[in-house]
Amino acid sequence: MRGPCVGPGPATDGGLGPRALPALLMGPASRGTRRGGHGRQGPSGLDQSHASSNVPGLTPAAARAHPEGAGRQSHHCSCHGINPRPRVPAPPSPECHSPGPNTAVLPPAPLCGSPPVSAPQHSVPHANTHMLTALPPSRSSPPRAWILDPSGDLFYWWLNIMVIPVMYNWIILVLRSCFPDVQQQYLPVWLALDYLCDLLYLMDIAVRFYTGFLEQGILIQDRAQISQRCRRSARLLWDVASVLPTDLLYLWLGLHVPALRANRLLRTPRLLEAFDRRETRTAHPHAFRIAKLMLYVFVAIHWTSCGYFALSGAIGYGADAWVYPNHSLAGFARPRRQYLYSFYFSTLILTTVGNTPDPQRQEEFLFMTAGFLLAVMGFATIMGSMSSVISTMSTADAAFYPDGERVKGYLQLHRVGRQLEHRVAGWHQHLRLNRKMTNELEILQHLPERLRAEVAVSVHLPTLRKVQLFQSCEQSLLEELVLKLRPQVYSPGEYVCRKGDIGREMYFIREGQLAVVGDDGVTQYAVLGEGLYFGEISIINIKGNKSGNRRTANIKSIGYSDLFRLSKEDLQEVLAEFPSAKAMLEAKGREILLKMGKLDESAEAAEAVQQEAAEQRTGALEDAVDALQTQVARLLAELESSAFKLALRIERLEWQTRGWAGPGEGEPQGAGRSL
């Protein structure tokens, strides 16, 4: 009985033999070449056995037509033949299963330690191998259909288009149902707009079947999966219900009953979805929320006015002082006057201003009560929404700029002088008026790291490129530096650093001017402008620097200066990955120290010698540690070997002792066996 397709050899006992590991690490072509003769070389030096193993057109019929290839395939799957090397256990190959009607039969890949199987040379001639690229595409990978990305621009603008028909039905359809004159005078226009909206509704259903969705963070673009998801969705039922041909009832009730199209209002979720997308994309979300709130208020008053006019018609125009006046009065028969009067009356009800006629009938009392309840709920909604918008605006403002009121309270609590308090207030005012931010990291902290880096690069990289020191640096260095920069704003006359201070940062001038002044604070030696930098000498470990990490000059802001601050730790972390930039920065620092006469060249050479000697000692210690580790490893190996040999000897002695013991003297053999 033949064994499975792949299994452990008899010599390996399911393990990896000593000669199978080199074969496992080598490719199939290398193993075939070493065996000699199994991989036939063509004129171009290619192994034709592997060229034929990738032919997708070899079907079961072709395999039967070439018994040699079929025999080799069955030879491989049945694991027959002499294998001079131990096999490696592997999971069953897919080629061992019976192929389907549309499955291409491929020659199996050679196993580790077994000769590669080659198809007959006449099955795929080498001269016609270029024809393989002309084969038709596989049926399993059909061309992708045009799919909309739910987060893309096309889908976003389609939602904005769908706002128009939904709002049309919410406003005009109710208006026509309650004002018969409006319906009769413009009937052809309304019918045309109705069926145009129906067309957009049908197109929106089709768009749903061409809109992808996310599954495990990946956009699904398969039409079959999208269609299945849409058919199972409850939204499809609402969409279909909103386009049911209720207009057919016009044949019995006539064209003057637009309320038959009330099912078109079921497409409201599409309107809310469009509003949500618009709010997340607009540059002024607070203004959009207020506008959306006012739209809801208008729709509420509009519906109330339509209900008031319809109730007046049911009771009778002019029946009492509360309902709409009789059409016989001058001007009250015009549709525009009808709507404006009803809208004004409804506004008085919903705003609870009063100055409305007292209701006389039960229907009028119920309508007024419902209007007052709606007014209370609307007032609470408006106040809550407005307070939320104001609170959100205050929170966003506090996130962008530091709280000046808290600082002012602190200064007043400790009775700080008026001049200093005025300077602090001027600094906060400058930040707000000129939109200067000093807490960019807190604002962008919730973004992913890579996206935060891209935002920082797009905002600050043009400024960093103006710095002469970094103009010849590679892009990756600039991107790393951008993430380490901290913005800082200085007021007029404020010192950025003083001579002799401990240097922990270097600065890049983004905007403004700074002066290098003397100890008196008046004498100016130089003026630094946009794109320049300073402070690098004290944070770079330059050999022979007489000043150490102390500042060598006084830098004072002439006006308001916008700087980037880079700390010593962040700079060392970045320069550790870019040694060329570090060497260039150190060379620039040496030039400045030489001009200032604060570079001790002899000390620099001595420090270099000391560093070289320290590196040599470090290398010698590392070599000694490696040698010790090697010796310890050998000792451990010898110890394990000795322990293993000792265990074998003990086991052998135990077996010998058991053999010598055997049945005791004068003791029957049965008793010995029982023991």
Side-chain angles (χ1 to χ4, degrees):
M1 179 178 180
R2 296 180 178 179
C5 282
V6 179
T12 60
D13 197 19
L16 189 64
R19 299 180 61 188
L21 183 59
L24 180 63
L25 300 177
M26 293 164 53
S30 302
R31 294 195 297 269
T33 304
R34 291 183 59 184
R35 301 281 170 83
H38 293 288
R40 188 176 295 119
Q41 301 289 334
S44 60
L46 298 176
D47 193 345
Q48 293 184 4
S49 64
H50 300 293
S52 62
S53 64
N54 296 324
V55 178
L58 189 59
T59 59
R64 290 192 298 269
H66 301 286
E68 181 183 356
R72 285 176 181 169
Q73 184 178 1
S74 62
H75 164 80
H76 171 70
C77 291
S78 60
C79 296
H80 275 293
I82 300 175
N83 188 2
R85 297 187 181 184
R87 300 182 186 176
V88 180
S93 167
E95 288 83 4
C96 297
H97 302 284
S98 59
N102 297 325
T103 305
V105 179
L106 303 178
L111 293 178
C112 178
S114 61
V117 181
S118 60
Q121 186 175 2
H122 63 271
S123 60
V124 182
H126 181 74
N128 296 329
T129 54
H130 66 277
M131 297 178 60
L132 298 177
T133 59
L135 292 175
S138 176
R139 295 182 182 178
S140 60
S141 59
R144 291 183 177 179
W146 184 68
I147 300 299
L148 282 174
D149 185 358
S151 61
D153 293 336
L154 290 178
F155 185 75
Y156 169 72
W157 288 112
W158 174 254
L159 289 179
N160 289 334
I161 293 174
M162 286 304 300
V163 171
I164 300 174
V166 178
M167 290 301 302
Y168 167 81
N169 288 312
W170 269 88
I171 297 175
I172 303 300
L173 183 60
V174 179
L175 176 69
R176 294 159 47 196
S177 301
C178 299
F179 291 84
D181 294 341
V182 175
Q183 170 72 6
Q184 294 175 4
Q185 290 184 11
Y186 306 99
L187 182 60
V189 177
W190 301 138
L191 292 178
L193 293 177
D194 285 346
Y195 296 117
L196 178 61
C197 292
D198 290 348
L199 177 62
L200 291 175
Y201 275 22
L202 293 174
M203 292 175 62
D204 185 57
I205 295 178
V207 166
R208 285 193 183 276
F209 283 89
Y210 284 89
T211 302
F213 63 94
L214 293 180
E215 183 174 321
Q216 297 183 358
I218 300 176
L219 180 63
I220 303 300
Q221 300 184 4
D222 184 34
R223 284 278 291 109
Q225 297 186 32
I226 295 174
S227 300
Q228 184 179 7
R229 179 186 176 89
C230 289
R231 287 193 295 268
R232 293 180 178 180
S233 175
R235 293 182 179 180
L236 183 62
L237 299 178
W238 290 93
D239 292 348
V240 173
S242 64
V243 293
L244 290 177
T246 55
D247 306 59
L248 296 177
L249 297 177
Y250 284 158
L251 301 176
W252 288 272
L253 302 178
L255 295 175
H256 303 293
V257 190
L260 296 175
R261 295 176 52 86
N263 61 323
R264 270 61 175 178
L265 302 179
L266 298 177
R267 196 61 69 93
T268 305
R270 206 59 161 173
L271 175 67
L272 302 179
E273 183 180 1
F275 282 167
D276 291 340
R277 295 296 180 92
R278 186 69 178 179
E279 183 176 344
T280 57
R281 285 206 175 197
T282 182
H284 307 283
H286 304 302
F288 179 77
R289 291 169 190 165
I290 295 176
K292 183 173 65 174
L293 180 62
M294 297 306 298
L295 175 63
Y296 292 158
V297 171
F298 167 76
V299 171
I301 298 176
H302 171 75
W303 277 45
T304 306
S305 62
C306 294
Y308 166 75
F309 191 82
L311 181 60
S312 299
I315 296 175
Y317 300 115
D320 52 39
W322 188 86
V323 297
Y324 185 79
N326 198 309
H327 292 176
S328 60
L329 298 178
F332 284 94
R334 292 181 298 177
R336 183 181 302 176
R337 180 66 176 273
Q338 295 172 1
Y339 180 76
L340 292 178
Y341 184 91
S342 302
F343 195 88
Y344 170 75
F345 193 89
S346 301
T347 304
L348 294 178
I349 295 175
L350 295 182
T351 55
T352 63
V353 174
N355 198 20
T356 58
D358 295 333
Q360 304 295 329
R361 294 177 172 83
Q362 295 181 359
E363 298 86 351
E364 298 172 359
F365 279 107
L366 292 175
F367 187 87
M368 291 291 292
T369 303
F372 288 149
L373 294 176
L374 182 61
V376 172
M377 185 179 64
F379 181 76
T381 303
I382 292 174
M383 293 300 297
S385 300
M386 293 300 298
S387 61
S388 176
V389 169
I390 295 174
S391 175
T392 305
M393 293 176 63
S394 302
T395 304
D397 188 66
F400 279 104
Y401 308 107
D403 190 1
E405 296 297 330
R406 297 174 60 185
V407 179
K408 186 184 297 185
Y410 174 83
L411 297 178
Q412 293 176 355
L413 179 64
H414 292 276
R415 298 181 181 180
V416 179
R418 286 295 185 90
Q419 185 178 2
L420 182 57
E421 184 178 349
H422 180 71
R423 288 177 55 190
V424 172
W427 183 80
H428 282 93
Q429 183 180 3
H430 172 75
L431 293 183
R432 292 180 178 273
L433 292 179
N434 297 275
R435 300 181 180 274
K436 303 293 184 181
M437 290 174 289
T438 60
N439 53 349
E440 294 182 352
L441 290 181
E442 289 78 5
I443 298 173
L444 305 176
Q445 62 180 346
H446 299 294
L447 294 178
E449 182 179 0
R450 198 61 220 167
L451 184 58
R452 184 167 64 248
E454 293 182 7
V455 172
V457 166
S458 63
V459 173
H460 299 310
L461 190 59
T463 302
L464 198 60
R465 286 188 180 278
K466 297 178 182 179
V467 179
Q468 184 179 2
L469 179 65
F470 300 117
Q471 287 181 355
S472 58
C473 294
E474 52 186 305
Q475 179 77 11
S476 56
L477 172 63
L478 299 180
E479 293 178 357
E480 290 291 334
L481 284 176
V482 162
L483 295 176
K484 307 295 183 181
L485 297 179
R486 303 293 182 269
Q488 186 68 55
V489 179
Y490 289 89
S491 304
E494 185 178 356
Y495 279 90
V496 179
C497 60
R498 290 181 180 271
K499 185 177 180 180
D501 293 345
I502 298 176
R504 298 184 179 90
E505 308 93 4
M506 70 175 298
Y507 297 91
F508 306 93
I509 303 176
R510 179 184 182 185
E511 184 181 343
Q513 292 184 345
L514 297 96
V516 182
V517 299
D519 295 336
D520 56 358
V522 179
T523 307
Q524 292 188 5
Y525 299 110
V527 177
L528 307 178
E530 180 182 359
L532 299 180
Y533 61 96
F534 60 92
E536 76 282 0
I537 297 176
S538 58
I539 66 174
I540 298 178
N541 298 324
I542 301 178
K543 302 176 181 65
N545 185 5
K546 297 179 181 179
S547 302
N549 61 342
R550 301 285 180 172
R551 299 294 188 189
T552 59
N554 300 312
I555 308 294
K556 185 172 67 173
S557 177
I558 298 177
Y560 284 102
S561 302
D562 192 2
L563 308 180
F564 281 130
R565 176 170 53 88
L566 181 63
S567 66
K568 182 177 181 178
E569 293 77 11
D570 292 338
L571 180 62
Q572 294 296 336
E573 181 181 352
V574 173
L575 292 181
E577 304 295 335
F578 301 92
S580 59
K582 181 179 181 180
M584 182 176 60
L585 198 60
E586 291 178 351
K588 186 68 176 178
R590 289 192 190 94
E591 293 179 4
I592 297 176
L593 290 175
L594 282 174
K595 292 180 181 179
M596 299 175 61
K598 294 188 177 182
L599 181 64
D600 190 354
E601 298 183 4
S602 59
E604 181 183 5
E607 188 174 352
V609 172
Q610 292 179 0
Q611 184 177 359
E612 184 178 358
E615 291 178 355
Q616 291 179 358
R617 289 195 298 270
T618 303
L621 288 175
E622 291 178 353
D623 294 339
V625 169
D626 292 341
L628 288 175
Q629 289 179 349
T630 303
Q631 293 179 3
V632 169
R634 290 177 179 175
L635 290 175
L636 290 176
E638 292 177 359
L639 180 62
E640 291 178 359
S641 177
S642 301
F644 181 70
K645 292 179 181 179
L646 182 61
L648 290 179
R649 293 183 61 185
I650 292 174
E651 186 178 1
R652 184 181 303 172
L653 289 174
E654 289 179 352
W655 280 104
Q656 290 178 358
T657 304
R658 293 176 184 176
W660 292 342
E665 295 182 0
E667 186 177 358
Q669 294 184 359
R673 289 193 184 95
S674 63
L675 292 176

